[in-house]
Amino acid sequence: MTMRPTGAEVQRDTEERSNVSSKAGVVRRGAGGRVEKSLHVGWRDGRGRSTASLGRSGAMAVIGVMVVLYAVYMIISKQPTTLSGFGTILGESATIGLAGVGEAVVILSGGYDLSTGAIVGMVNVILATQSGFAGNTVVMVIIGLGVGIGTGLLNGVGVAVLKVPPIIATLGSLFIWEGVSLLILPQPGGAVGQGFVNVFSNSIVSIPIPLILFVVAAAIWRWVKFTKTGRFVYMLGGDTDSAGANGVNVRWVLLFTYAFAGLFYGLAGIFYTAATTSGNPTAGSSLLLPIFAAVVLGGVVFGGGKGDPAAAVIGAITLTLIGDVLYAFGVSSFYTGIFDGAALIVALIVSANSGRLVFRQLLFKHGRMVHATGDGGGGATA
């Protein structure tokens, strides 16, 4: 005998469904006012809880691994545990971490950006060859950010306006920007002013500049995330069709996403230039794998809709510590790529399993809502 839900249960489940609709756009009305349901992992999961916090993104486990690796490194290297010492590790991971924040934003929207490393490399060679502005740090920063945002926006035009699949559009961009870098600087060289280097290598009130950059990057995203556009990015990653059906301007959100990601690519290129003090036209080819690994280690799910881009910083620091621990054990740096690739695969496996778990929760919740409202005949079935 099947028990019918009470009036209170029906009202409660209906209110929960309405909340999910307003937060993630998973419920829309079709012709005649009939409710159509679309399941996706978006701004809210099936229980109305945020899927964007560090805790729910899976980054907490990576933070634990990072702490353990740091402790092991300190013991093996016999270095004193100081903020300055940790600042060195932050400096090593800054380029990957900053670029990873931008890449994570694109992945949240349901896309991929294969041109990340190439854009960082092009910013590097452009800055290293601007001898006329070498002594003006402000102008150098504006140039770097402008190049990053501009190239990111061009990627957005390819995806949002020309309707080219993200993986194809950004793969083409990768080859274009690498070619441009070689045209600007055929071989490693160039130089930047010492003042520019000092700005990004010193500390402010004993706080390392990389740490300040990470905090600023995280703060920018945390602010954007709680704006309407930020929520729309999550909605696109969950289900683009549902987002469009709920009135989201998909084209505008995609243009914003790629341009916003370009901001962080430019910042990464600026820091990379200050750290290396020169230009390298092939630098981008070695950055792409670590960037993706940092994003996935940070708990951002491939496919979109779940994760926090700020956690890519945690992933980048973890990757750096893996390399440092291996070096402390006497392992050749040539093996670093192998371990980075292995870390990426393991993180992808964990991410896929996490995504399936959340989707099962959505299916279960959806089934309860259909049963409670008696809409099992005409609506979507779980």
Side-chain angles (χ1 to χ4, degrees), residues 116-340:
T116 307
I119 293 176
V120 173
M122 186 171 69
V123 171
N124 168 235
V125 300
I126 289 176
L127 294 181
T129 54
Q130 296 300 313
S131 57
F133 300 107
N136 194 324
T137 300
V138 174
V139 174
M140 295 281 280
V141 170
I142 292 175
I143 292 174
L145 295 180
V147 171
I149 295 172
T151 51
L153 184 60
L154 288 176
N155 282 340
V157 170
V159 174
V161 180
L162 301 181
K163 306 298 182 182
V164 180
I167 196 169
I168 302 299
T170 58
L171 179 62
S173 296
L174 181 154
F175 292 119
I176 291 174
W177 304 135
E178 283 188 344
V180 171
S181 296
L182 287 168
L183 288 174
I184 296 174
L185 190 67
Q187 59 187 6
V192 292
Q194 189 59 43
F196 176 80
V197 174
N198 292 338
V199 168
F200 294 95
S201 60
N202 291 334
S203 300
I204 298 179
V205 195
S206 300
I207 302 176
I209 293 296
L211 179 58
I212 295 175
L213 291 177
F214 283 153
V215 172
V216 170
I220 291 174
W221 171 248
R222 300 294 287 186
W223 172 71
V224 171
K225 186 177 73 172
F226 290 107
T227 64
K228 183 181 295 185
T229 303
R231 292 193 293 270
F232 287 167
V233 172
Y234 281 93
M235 290 175 64
L236 255 62
D239 189 331
T240 303
D241 292 335
S242 288
N246 279 274
V248 175
N249 188 331
V250 176
R251 177 179 296 181
W252 154 248
V253 176
L254 285 175
L255 288 172
F256 168 82
T257 297
Y258 283 89
F260 186 71
L263 169 69
F264 290 98
Y265 302 160
L267 189 57
I270 291 170
F271 186 87
Y272 181 83
T273 305
T276 59
T277 69
S278 63
N280 183 356
T282 61
S285 59
S286 63
L287 296 175
L288 186 59
L289 173 59
I291 290 171
F292 270 99
V295 170
V296 179
L297 280 173
V300 178
V301 177
F302 276 16
K306 183 174 182 289
D308 192 316
V313 172
I314 306 299
I317 297 173
T318 303
L319 283 178
T320 299
L321 284 170
I322 290 175
D324 289 345
V325 169
L326 291 174
Y327 181 79
F329 273 115
V331 178
S332 172
S333 60
F334 293 114
Y335 291 95
T336 302
I338 297 175
F339 284 93
D340 286 349

